Amino acid sequence: MADDTTQALQALIKKVSTLTETVQTQQQTIEGIKKHNERLLDQVKDDKRAEQHPSGHPQETIADIAKIGMVPGDDGNWYMKGHAPNHTISRADARDRQKYLNAKQKADAAGATLRVVDDVPSEDSHRRGRGDIARTKTMTIKDEDAQVAYMRRDAMTDTAAYQRLRKAGFLVHQWAQPEDLPEHMQTKLALMEKANDAV
């Protein structure tokens, strides 16, 4: 009887050893696949970076922006043709001494005056009256980097949407006309409207 038990235990130990070897082999295979996938993903990311314009936007986006008549400004923002300011710097960038000095040097070299522009519309622009509200399909535009959301004035009555934005950490400003928005947000609005029209 003891011999039967010993043989059964030895057979069980052998099966466990075989199973352990199989699991280890599978783990090595999975690790190899994981490393291969990581290399492929890195290659895809590198290819996408290579396709991008120096501004950091994909070439297709650059072409779309150019089609609606916009050109890049010296400050990295996009403007309607003929409206690009020559030398500007955002108020936030102007606080960074090195960025300000670099922008000032470029403006001086071009014989131009460096203008500091507001990143966010001033309070006055939000309270200047009840004028006409733009008829856009886009109600809310988010500036994720600055954590600011711009809601069209008539959409501000949607308290649930407002509260969701505040809960997500956004500072909420209202707008009535595209001109009420910062220049980079006007560009984003134009692209969003174009995308909405395409749908």
Side-chain angles (χ1 to χ4, degrees):
M1 189 97 165
D3 287 340
D4 290 342
T5 304
T6 304
Q7 287 177 352
L9 284 173
Q10 287 175 346
L12 183 59
I13 290 170
K14 188 174 181 182
K15 284 184 180 180
V16 168
S17 296
T18 305
L19 183 60
T20 303
E21 288 174 13
T22 303
V23 168
Q24 288 173 343
T25 304
Q26 288 176 343
Q27 283 179 328
Q28 289 172 353
T29 304
I30 290 170
E31 284 298 316
I33 291 171
K34 184 179 174 187
K35 286 179 182 175
H36 177 71
N37 287 344
E38 286 172 353
R39 281 195 305 273
L40 285 177
L41 184 59
D42 288 342
Q43 185 177 354
V44 168
K45 286 180 181 176
D46 290 343
D47 290 346
K48 283 189 177 180
R49 279 189 212 105
E51 291 173 6
Q52 288 185 333
H53 187 268
S55 67
H57 298 290
Q59 291 290 356
E60 302 84 41
T61 304
I62 299 298
D64 288 342
I65 292 172
K67 281 181 193 171
I68 60 173
M70 300 188 86
V71 295
D74 293 335
D75 57 359
N77 290 323
W78 288 82
Y79 302 93
M80 294 306 290
K81 283 183 184 169
H83 292 87
N86 291 332
H87 292 276
T88 61
I89 186 170
S90 71
R91 195 163 300 283
D93 284 347
R95 290 186 188 105
D96 182 322
R97 185 173 190 280
Q98 193 57 48
K99 287 182 181 178
Y100 179 81
L101 291 175
N102 288 342
K104 180 79 171 130
Q105 185 179 20
K106 286 180 184 176
D108 289 346
T113 303
L114 178 64
R115 280 186 29 229
V116 177
V117 294
D118 285 323
D119 307 0
V120 179
S122 66
E123 268 316 295
D124 291 343
S125 70
H126 297 299
R127 300 179 186 205
R128 65 177 148 188
R130 293 280 172 211
D132 292 336
I133 295 174
R135 298 285 172 226
T136 58
K137 292 180 182 176
T138 306
M139 299 282 213
T140 304
I141 310 159
K142 294 179 189 173
D143 184 347
E144 284 83 2
D145 294 333
Q147 282 291 291
V148 177
Y150 301 90
M151 287 183 79
R152 207 171 67 190
R153 187 186 305 138
D154 56 335
M156 293 289 283
T157 56
D158 184 353
T159 54
Y162 176 85
Q163 288 172 350
R164 278 194 302 273
L165 289 168
R166 293 295 295 149
K167 192 173 184 180
F170 285 93
L171 179 63
V172 182
H173 293 289
Q174 65 177 336
W175 61 281
Q177 294 295 323
E179 297 79 34
D180 297 340
L181 298 166
E183 291 171 328
H184 67 290
M185 288 288 98
Q186 291 179 33
T187 302
K188 186 171 183 178
L189 173 63
L191 291 172
M192 290 171 74
E193 285 298 293
K194 184 175 181 200
N196 285 333
D197 290 341
V199 174

